[in-house]
Amino acid sequence: MNRSTFWATLTTAALAIAAFATLGTQAPDTATANSSGDPAASAARSAAPASQARQWPTLRTGSQGSAVTALQQLLTAHGHSLTTDGSFGSLTAAAVQAFQTEQHLQADGVVGPDTWNALVTTLRTGSQGDAVTALQQLLTARGHSLTADGAFGGRTAAAVHAFQKNQGLQADGVAGPATWKALVTAPTGARPDTGQTAQPGPAGYTLKFTKNQKHPMYSTLALVHNGKAVKSYRANSGMGSKDTCLSNEGWLPNGTYKVKGHETNRGGWNYNPNVQIQGYAIQLENKTCTPAPGQKPVERTDMFIHSEMLADGTQAIDVPLKEDDFWRWDADFDYKSNGCIKLKPTDLKDLFSRLDQAGWPKNLTLQVG
């Protein structure tokens, strides 16, 4: 073999070795697997969890659906109280911009990956609040029926575990960023592991009180029809304490309340000193609050949705030099209430008017969360 033939042969061999090495290191879900038609490789690709490929949805003004509802609950959990109606309107856009500013993000009102990652928080057994309510609503929309009470208990943990297992995630019952992303992007309707159809939201009219953790006197009471808020009012519960077991001073405990009745002239006659809550009032059932382990349960009683007014629905006279006139709405500090839910007189009358038109539905309930 002459020298030129030797070098040509050596070059050809080197190219062949390089080509073989390249093919040997190629990922199985690209050219090699596709060209070979290897069924094992195809099955491996099919078995990869769909959640790994999911991206956070981009939400902006005009967006609608369960992802917007989750967004609104999470914003509420961060102190930007919103009605969770699943519709991305101007109030939601403003809350998004305010939150983005707080987090030093681009305040464009558009919810992308950075905003989602700042919004979601890791939840586990024992967690409470609006973020838990959002989690429970998303799980219910994905076929795991839960009461959205804002308390992460055993049933919620079991639902998270089942959802994670179905999605190919680490099934530890802890809702972290990957679980949130899968919940927000998963389709609604049928439950994947059973094929059963998820139960629809509550039909008819309900009342929903949403607590604002950072600014309690900017909480909201919404009138909800067939799962969608038709009117929302600024409201508050308690005298400033967030202790739900503090009678006459704390927030109402989370949960569902039956509406026992309603009156438009509670007290019977004006300036009745024996009746503290007068005029328009909606009475709620009693609720037992369980404090810290080892402490006795506390029964919360005498709870109403009310305002400050006289028995006939009018306002008391303005007493000169008196900052807070009893039975008269004076200022924002009047939102404080002895454990009840309090609205402005005009808002309470508007609520009564809407429920009058609806015929005061039987089995009307209040959801507190």
Side-chain angles (χ1 to χ4, degrees):
M1 179 183 295
N2 58 36
R3 181 174 297 179
S4 60
T5 304
F6 171 80
W7 284 113
T9 303
L10 186 61
T11 302
T12 302
L15 291 172
I17 292 170
F20 180 80
T22 301
L23 289 172
T25 57
Q26 201 166 16
D29 58 352
T30 55
T32 303
N34 289 337
S35 60
S36 67
D38 183 358
S42 299
R45 291 196 306 274
S46 300
S51 58
Q52 291 180 356
R54 292 193 182 121
Q55 301 296 324
W56 285 111
T58 299
L59 303 179
R60 51 173 54 87
T61 301
S63 299
Q64 293 187 338
S66 60
V68 178
T69 302
L71 167 68
Q72 291 166 330
Q73 285 281 14
L74 289 169
L75 285 166
T76 297
H78 284 277
H80 302 278
S81 183
L82 290 168
T83 299
T84 53
D85 57 5
S87 180
F88 197 127
S90 59
L91 292 178
T92 301
V96 169
Q97 287 181 302
F99 175 77
Q100 290 170 327
T101 299
E102 293 171 357
Q103 298 297 315
H104 306 291
L105 301 171
Q106 181 180 355
D108 56 4
V110 178
V111 182
D114 290 341
T115 303
W116 277 116
N117 287 325
L119 278 168
V120 298
T121 180
T122 299
L123 303 174
R124 51 176 51 86
T125 301
S127 298
Q128 291 187 343
D130 293 295
V132 178
T133 301
L135 174 70
Q136 292 166 328
Q137 289 177 334
L138 283 170
L139 286 164
T140 297
R142 275 57 177 164
H144 304 274
S145 183
L146 291 169
T147 299
D149 57 4
F152 197 127
R155 292 189 62 184
T156 302
V160 171
H161 185 276
F163 177 80
Q164 291 170 325
K165 184 176 180 180
N166 181 268
Q167 296 294 311
L169 301 170
Q170 181 181 356
D172 56 4
V174 177
T179 301
W180 277 106
K181 184 185 291 185
L183 278 166
V184 169
T185 57
T188 59
R191 187 186 299 182
D193 56 348
T194 65
Q196 296 177 355
T197 301
Q199 295 297 316
Y205 286 90
T206 57
L207 296 168
K208 180 175 175 60
F209 180 67
T210 303
K211 299 173 180 177
N212 187 322
Q213 297 287 340
K214 289 187 177 180
H215 306 288
M217 287 203 296
Y218 284 87
S219 301
T220 58
L221 178 70
L223 176 63
V224 181
H225 184 230
N226 293 337
K228 184 176 181 178
V230 295
K231 184 68 175 182
S232 182
Y233 311 93
R234 179 181 168 185
N236 184 37
S237 170
M239 300 296 288
S241 173
K242 297 178 183 178
D243 184 351
T244 58
C245 294
L246 193 60
S247 294
N248 298 324
E249 294 187 23
W251 273 355
L252 265 68
N254 290 349
T256 301
Y257 294 75
K258 293 180 181 178
V259 172
K260 296 177 62 176
H262 63 280
E263 302 174 71
T264 56
N265 67 333
R266 179 175 169 79
W269 50 279
N270 289 344
Y271 298 103
N272 185 346
N274 298 317
V275 181
Q276 183 178 15
I277 295 175
Q278 298 196 19
Y280 288 65
I282 299 174
Q283 187 173 7
L284 307 173
E285 67 174 334
N286 296 344
K287 179 71 70 174
T288 299
C289 173
T290 303
Q295 296 182 5
K296 293 182 178 180
V298 176
E299 186 175 20
R300 298 291 302 275
T301 62
D302 299 320
M303 295 185 294
F304 296 85
I305 300 173
H306 70 108
S307 187
E308 286 194 3
M309 60 178 65
L310 294 170
D312 63 2
T314 62
Q315 292 285 282
I317 60 173
D318 186 5
V319 179
L321 304 180
K322 186 176 181 182
E323 183 180 30
D324 187 8
D325 295 316
F326 204 52
W327 299 327
R328 177 184 177 85
W329 192 271
D330 295 291
D332 281 353
F333 54 71
D334 280 336
Y335 277 104
K336 290 185 177 181
S337 168
N338 292 343
C340 304
I341 294 176
K342 203 170 185 182
L343 283 70
K344 272 187 176 181
T346 52
D347 288 343
L348 183 60
K349 289 181 178 181
D350 182 78
L351 175 61
F352 264 73
S353 176
R354 292 174 183 274
L355 286 170
D356 284 341
Q357 294 175 12
W360 281 93
K362 295 181 179 179
N363 301 321
L364 183 65
T365 59
L366 167 72
Q367 300 287 334
V368 177

